[in-house]
Amino acid sequence: TQLLEQSPQFLSIQEGENLTVYCNSSSVFSSLQWYRQEPGEGPVLLVTVVTGGEVKKLKRLTFQFGDARKDSSLHITAAQPGDTGLYLCAGLHSGTYKYIFGTGTRLKVLA
Amino acid sequence: DVKVTQSSRYLVKRTGEKVFLECVQDMDHENMFWYRQDPGLGLRLIYFSYDVKMKEKGDIPEGYSVSREKKERFSLILESASTNQTSMYLCASSLSLPQGGGDSNQPQHFGDGTRLSIL
């Protein structure tokens, strides 16, 4: 099973810092989703991107889909402790209906 | 809000036992999914169902089966539990199956997971 590679795997930063999480693959996706999973809960959808080069913003979170639709990034500005969690990307190949999930980035924001 | 409820948060079973994990959703969704989540491996799809009594294998179906007798309920069955099935199991539901491209892709709504330990 092909996985999406996410980096970094772990990230511990101070409140107020900026960070970027990457999601990379060698194959093209027709759409890509980002989820956040908090401890003891299931993943919750943050955003879906579908167009190469697309940028979406969700308050302090900025999501970008690569021009070639093989990769994506999540940038958080002025991180807060409430951003702590596991961030997962999930890509959909054209002609299929099963999302492939990334390996995850575990973020901890210290107050 | 969509509610996906998994019957157990924690479960401990012994090798060789038959194990049932239950999942119920309250939004009349057509599609339901079972994943397992392991550190460093993300979520891997075990089985999904797109209608009552309909099922399709995911990426790692070996050692598992599923049952969907009613639209709201999707059960995952470990026929003879083994230690390598110790994992976090997540159930999800969606209004429609994802289609290639388009913002119309419906999100998957996840339950809070069942942490299963096989001794």
Side-chain angles (χ1 to χ4, degrees), chain B residues 47-97:
Chain B
Y47 267 97
F48 73 98
S49 169
Y50 52 91
D51 201 350
V52 175
K53 296 189 187 291
M54 305 303 288
K55 62 186 179 185
E56 279 209 23
K57 293 179 180 179
D59 299 315
I60 51 165
E62 296 79 19
Y64 303 94
S65 63
V66 291
S67 173
R68 192 157 180 212
E69 296 296 318
K70 294 184 178 181
K71 193 174 187 179
E72 67 270 19
R73 185 180 298 270
F74 193 33
S75 303
L76 179 69
I77 303 154
L78 284 66
E79 298 291 342
S80 178
S82 63
T83 55
N84 63 11
Q85 292 177 309
T86 291
S87 186
M88 170 69 84
Y89 289 86
L90 288 164
C91 174
S93 74
S94 71
L95 183 61
S96 59
L97 283 175

Coordinates of all heavy atoms in Angstrom, one line a residue, chain B residues 47-97:
Chain B
Y47 N -11.9 -2.4 5.5 CA -13.1 -2.7 4.7 C -13.9 -1.5 4.6 O -13.8 -0.6 5.5 CB -13.9 -3.8 5.3 CG -13.7 -5.2 4.9 CD1 -12.8 -6.0 5.7 CD2 -14.3 -5.7 3.8 CE1 -12.6 -7.4 5.3 CE2 -14.0 -7.1 3.4 CZ -13.2 -7.9 4.1 OH -13.0 -9.2 3.8
F48 N -14.7 -1.4 3.6 CA -15.8 -0.3 3.6 C -17.0 -0.9 3.0 O -17.1 -2.0 2.3 CB -15.3 0.9 2.9 CG -15.2 0.8 1.4 CD1 -16.2 1.3 0.5 CD2 -14.1 0.3 0.8 CE1 -16.1 1.2 -0.8 CE2 -14.0 0.2 -0.6 CZ -15.0 0.7 -1.4
S49 N -18.1 -0.2 3.2 CA -19.4 -0.6 2.8 C -20.2 0.6 2.2 O -20.2 1.7 2.8 CB -20.2 -1.2 4.0 OG -21.6 -1.3 3.6
Y50 N -20.7 0.4 1.0 CA -21.4 1.5 0.3 C -22.9 1.3 0.3 O -23.7 2.1 -0.2 CB -20.9 1.7 -1.1 CG -20.9 0.4 -1.9 CD1 -22.0 0.0 -2.7 CD2 -19.8 -0.4 -1.9 CE1 -22.0 -1.1 -3.4 CE2 -19.8 -1.6 -2.6 CZ -20.9 -2.0 -3.4 OH -20.9 -3.1 -4.1
D51 N -23.4 0.3 1.0 CA -24.8 0.1 1.1 C -25.1 -1.1 2.1 O -24.1 -1.9 2.3 CB -25.5 -0.2 -0.3 CG -27.0 0.1 -0.3 OD1 -27.6 0.3 0.8 OD2 -27.6 0.0 -1.4
V52 N -26.3 -1.3 2.5 CA -26.6 -2.4 3.4 C -26.2 -3.7 2.7 O -26.5 -3.9 1.5 CB -28.1 -2.4 3.8 CG1 -28.5 -3.6 4.6 CG2 -28.4 -1.1 4.6
K53 N -25.6 -4.6 3.4 CA -25.2 -5.9 2.9 C -24.1 -5.8 1.8 O -23.7 -6.9 1.3 CB -26.4 -6.7 2.5 CG -27.4 -7.0 3.6 CD -28.4 -8.0 3.1 CE -29.5 -8.2 4.1 NZ -29.0 -8.9 5.3
M54 N -23.6 -4.6 1.5 CA -22.6 -4.5 0.5 C -21.3 -4.2 1.1 O -21.3 -3.3 2.1 CB -23.0 -3.4 -0.6 CG -24.3 -3.6 -1.2 SD -24.5 -5.2 -2.0 CE -23.5 -4.9 -3.5
K55 N -20.2 -4.8 0.7 CA -18.9 -4.5 1.3 C -17.8 -4.7 0.2 O -18.0 -5.4 -0.7 CB -18.7 -5.5 2.5 CG -18.6 -6.9 2.0 CD -18.5 -7.9 3.2 CE -18.5 -9.3 2.8 NZ -18.6 -10.3 3.9
E56 N -16.7 -4.0 0.5 CA -15.6 -4.2 -0.4 C -14.3 -4.2 0.5 O -14.2 -3.5 1.5 CB -15.5 -3.0 -1.4 CG -16.4 -3.2 -2.6 CD -15.8 -2.6 -3.9 OE1 -14.6 -2.3 -4.0 OE2 -16.7 -2.3 -4.7
K57 N -13.3 -5.0 0.0 CA -12.1 -5.0 0.8 C -11.3 -3.7 0.6 O -11.3 -3.1 -0.5 CB -11.2 -6.2 0.2 CG -11.9 -7.6 0.5 CD -11.0 -8.7 0.0 CE -11.6 -10.0 0.3 NZ -10.8 -11.1 -0.2
G58 N -10.6 -3.4 1.6 CA -9.7 -2.2 1.6 C -8.3 -2.7 1.3 O -8.1 -3.7 0.5
D59 N -7.3 -2.1 1.9 CA -6.0 -2.5 1.6 C -5.4 -3.6 2.5 O -4.5 -4.3 2.1 CB -5.1 -1.2 1.8 CG -5.5 -0.1 0.8 OD1 -5.7 -0.4 -0.3 OD2 -5.6 1.1 1.3
I60 N -6.0 -3.8 3.6 CA -5.5 -4.8 4.6 C -6.6 -5.7 5.2 O -6.9 -5.7 6.4 CB -4.6 -4.2 5.7 CG1 -5.4 -3.1 6.4 CG2 -3.3 -3.7 5.2 CD1 -4.8 -2.7 7.7
P61 N -7.4 -6.4 4.3 CA -8.6 -7.1 4.8 C -8.2 -8.5 5.5 O -9.1 -9.0 6.2 CB -9.4 -7.4 3.6 CG -8.3 -7.5 2.5 CD -7.2 -6.5 2.9
E62 N -7.0 -8.9 5.4 CA -6.7 -10.3 5.8 C -6.9 -10.4 7.4 O -6.4 -9.6 8.1 CB -5.3 -10.7 5.5 CG -5.0 -10.7 4.0 CD -4.8 -9.4 3.4 OE1 -4.5 -8.4 4.1 OE2 -4.9 -9.3 2.1
G63 N -7.6 -11.4 7.8 CA -7.9 -11.7 9.2 C -9.1 -10.9 9.7 O -9.4 -11.1 10.9
Y64 N -9.8 -10.2 8.8 CA -11.0 -9.4 9.2 C -12.1 -9.8 8.4 O -12.0 -10.2 7.2 CB -10.7 -7.9 9.1 CG -9.5 -7.4 9.9 CD1 -8.3 -7.2 9.3 CD2 -9.7 -7.0 11.2 CE1 -7.2 -6.7 10.0 CE2 -8.6 -6.5 11.9 CZ -7.4 -6.4 11.3 OH -6.3 -5.9 12.0
S65 N -13.3 -9.6 8.9 CA -14.5 -9.6 8.1 C -15.5 -8.5 8.6 O -15.2 -7.9 9.6 CB -15.3 -10.9 8.1 OG -15.7 -11.2 9.4
V66 N -16.5 -8.2 7.9 CA -17.4 -7.1 8.3 C -18.9 -7.5 8.1 O -19.1 -8.5 7.3 CB -17.2 -5.8 7.5 CG1 -15.8 -5.2 7.9 CG2 -17.3 -6.0 6.0
S67 N -19.7 -6.8 8.7 CA -21.2 -7.1 8.6 C -21.9 -5.8 8.6 O -21.7 -4.9 9.4 CB -21.7 -7.9 9.7 OG -23.1 -8.1 9.7
R68 N -22.8 -5.6 7.6 CA -23.7 -4.4 7.6 C -25.1 -4.9 7.3 O -25.5 -4.9 6.1 CB -23.2 -3.4 6.6 CG -23.9 -2.0 6.8 CD -23.1 -0.9 6.2 NE -23.8 0.3 6.4 CZ -23.7 1.3 5.5 NH1 -23.0 1.2 4.5 NH2 -24.3 2.5 5.8
E69 N -25.8 -5.2 8.3 CA -27.2 -5.6 8.2 C -28.2 -4.5 8.2 O -29.3 -4.6 7.7 CB -27.5 -6.6 9.4 CG -26.7 -7.9 9.3 CD -27.0 -8.7 8.1 OE1 -28.2 -8.8 7.7 OE2 -26.0 -9.3 7.5
K70 N -27.8 -3.4 8.9 CA -28.6 -2.2 8.9 C -27.8 -1.0 8.5 O -26.6 -1.0 8.7 CB -29.2 -1.9 10.3 CG -30.2 -3.0 10.8 CD -30.7 -2.6 12.1 CE -31.8 -3.6 12.6 NZ -32.4 -3.3 13.9
K71 N -28.4 0.0 7.9 CA -27.7 1.1 7.3 C -26.8 1.9 8.3 O -25.7 2.3 8.1 CB -28.7 2.1 6.7 CG -28.0 3.2 5.8 CD -29.1 4.0 5.1 CE -28.5 5.0 4.1 NZ -29.6 5.8 3.5
E72 N -27.3 1.9 9.6 CA -26.6 2.7 10.6 C -25.5 2.0 11.3 O -24.7 2.6 12.0 CB -27.6 3.3 11.6 CG -28.2 2.2 12.5 CD -29.5 1.6 11.9 OE1 -29.7 1.8 10.7 OE2 -30.3 1.0 12.7
R73 N -25.4 0.7 11.1 CA -24.4 -0.1 11.9 C -23.5 -0.9 11.0 O -23.9 -1.5 10.0 CB -25.2 -1.1 12.8 CG -24.4 -1.9 13.7 CD -25.3 -2.8 14.6 NE -26.2 -2.1 15.4 CZ -26.0 -1.7 16.6 NH1 -24.8 -1.9 17.2 NH2 -26.9 -1.0 17.3
F74 N -22.2 -0.8 11.3 CA -21.1 -1.5 10.6 C -20.2 -2.2 11.6 O -19.6 -1.5 12.4 CB -20.4 -0.5 9.7 CG -19.5 -1.1 8.7 CD1 -19.8 -2.2 8.0 CD2 -18.3 -0.4 8.3 CE1 -19.0 -2.7 7.0 CE2 -17.5 -0.9 7.3 CZ -17.8 -2.1 6.7
S75 N -20.1 -3.5 11.5 CA -19.4 -4.2 12.5 C -18.1 -4.8 11.8 O -18.1 -5.2 10.7 CB -20.2 -5.4 13.0 OG -21.4 -4.9 13.6
L76 N -17.0 -4.7 12.6 CA -15.8 -5.3 12.2 C -15.5 -6.6 13.0 O -15.7 -6.5 14.3 CB -14.6 -4.3 12.4 CG -13.2 -4.8 12.0 CD1 -13.1 -5.0 10.5 CD2 -12.1 -3.9 12.5
I77 N -15.2 -7.7 12.4 CA -15.0 -8.9 13.1 C -13.6 -9.5 12.9 O -13.1 -9.5 11.7 CB -16.0 -10.0 12.6 CG1 -17.5 -9.4 12.7 CG2 -15.9 -11.3 13.3 CD1 -18.4 -10.0 11.7
L78 N -13.0 -9.8 14.0 CA -11.7 -10.4 13.9 C -12.0 -11.9 14.2 O -12.4 -12.3 15.3 CB -10.7 -9.9 15.0 CG -10.1 -8.6 14.8 CD1 -11.1 -7.4 14.8 CD2 -9.0 -8.3 15.8
E79 N -11.8 -12.7 13.1 CA -12.3 -14.1 13.2 C -11.5 -14.9 14.3 O -12.1 -15.7 15.0 CB -12.1 -14.8 11.8 CG -13.0 -14.1 10.8 CD -14.5 -14.4 11.0 OE1 -14.9 -15.3 11.7 OE2 -15.3 -13.6 10.4
S80 N -10.2 -14.7 14.3 CA -9.4 -15.4 15.3 C -8.3 -14.4 15.7 O -7.3 -14.4 14.9 CB -8.9 -16.7 14.8 OG -8.0 -17.3 15.7
A81 N -8.5 -13.7 16.7 CA -7.6 -12.6 17.0 C -6.1 -13.0 17.2 O -5.8 -14.1 17.8 CB -8.0 -11.8 18.3
S82 N -5.2 -12.2 16.6 CA -3.8 -12.5 16.8 C -3.1 -11.2 17.3 O -3.6 -10.1 17.2 CB -3.1 -12.9 15.5 OG -3.2 -11.8 14.5
T83 N -1.9 -11.4 17.9 CA -1.3 -10.2 18.6 C -0.9 -9.1 17.6 O -0.9 -7.9 18.0 CB 0.0 -10.7 19.3 OG1 0.9 -11.4 18.3 CG2 -0.3 -11.6 20.4
N84 N -0.7 -9.4 16.3 CA -0.4 -8.4 15.3 C -1.7 -7.6 14.9 O -1.6 -6.6 14.1 CB 0.3 -8.9 14.1 CG -0.6 -9.9 13.3 OD1 -1.8 -10.0 13.6 ND2 0.0 -10.6 12.4
Q85 N -2.8 -7.9 15.5 CA -4.0 -7.1 15.3 C -4.2 -6.1 16.5 O -5.2 -5.4 16.5 CB -5.2 -8.0 15.1 CG -5.2 -8.8 13.8 CD -6.4 -9.7 13.7 OE1 -6.7 -10.5 14.5 NE2 -7.0 -9.6 12.5
T86 N -3.3 -6.1 17.4 CA -3.3 -5.0 18.4 C -3.1 -3.7 17.8 O -2.2 -3.5 17.0 CB -2.2 -5.3 19.5 OG1 -2.5 -6.4 20.2 CG2 -2.1 -4.0 20.4
S87 N -4.1 -2.8 18.0 CA -4.1 -1.5 17.2 C -5.2 -0.6 17.7 O -6.1 -1.0 18.5 CB -4.2 -1.8 15.7 OG -4.1 -0.6 14.9
M88 N -5.2 0.6 17.1 CA -6.3 1.5 17.3 C -7.2 1.3 16.0 O -6.7 1.4 14.9 CB -5.9 3.0 17.4 CG -7.0 4.0 17.3 SD -8.1 4.0 18.7 CE -7.1 5.0 19.8
Y89 N -8.5 1.1 16.3 CA -9.4 0.9 15.2 C -10.4 2.1 15.1 O -11.0 2.5 16.1 CB -10.2 -0.4 15.3 CG -9.3 -1.6 15.1 CD1 -8.6 -2.2 16.1 CD2 -9.2 -2.2 13.8 CE1 -7.7 -3.2 15.9 CE2 -8.4 -3.3 13.6 CZ -7.6 -3.8 14.7 OH -6.8 -4.9 14.5
L90 N -10.5 2.6 13.9 CA -11.3 3.8 13.7 C -12.4 3.5 12.7 O -12.2 2.9 11.6 CB -10.5 5.0 13.2 CG -9.6 5.6 14.1 CD1 -8.6 6.5 13.4 CD2 -10.4 6.5 15.1
C91 N -13.6 3.8 13.0 CA -14.8 3.7 12.1 C -15.1 5.1 11.5 O -14.9 6.1 12.2 CB -16.0 3.2 12.9 SG -17.5 3.1 11.9
A92 N -15.6 5.2 10.3 CA -15.9 6.5 9.7 C -17.2 6.3 8.8 O -17.5 5.1 8.4 CB -14.8 7.0 8.9
S93 N -17.9 7.4 8.6 CA -19.0 7.3 7.7 C -18.9 8.5 6.8 O -18.3 9.6 7.1 CB -20.3 7.3 8.4 OG -20.7 8.5 9.0
S94 N -19.5 8.4 5.6 CA -19.6 9.6 4.7 C -20.9 9.5 3.9 O -21.4 8.4 3.7 CB -18.4 9.7 3.7 OG -18.4 8.7 2.8
L95 N -21.3 10.7 3.5 CA -22.6 10.8 2.7 C -22.5 10.1 1.4 O -23.4 9.4 0.9 CB -23.0 12.2 2.5 CG -24.3 12.5 1.9 CD1 -25.5 11.9 2.7 CD2 -24.5 14.0 1.7
S96 N -21.3 10.3 0.7 CA -21.1 9.7 -0.6 C -19.7 9.2 -0.7 O -18.8 9.7 0.1 CB -21.4 10.7 -1.7 OG -20.6 11.8 -1.6
L97 N -19.4 8.3 -1.6 CA -18.1 7.9 -1.9 C -17.3 9.0 -2.5 O -17.9 9.8 -3.4 CB -18.0 6.7 -2.8 CG -18.4 5.3 -2.1 CD1 -18.4 4.2 -3.1 CD2 -17.4 5.0 -1.0

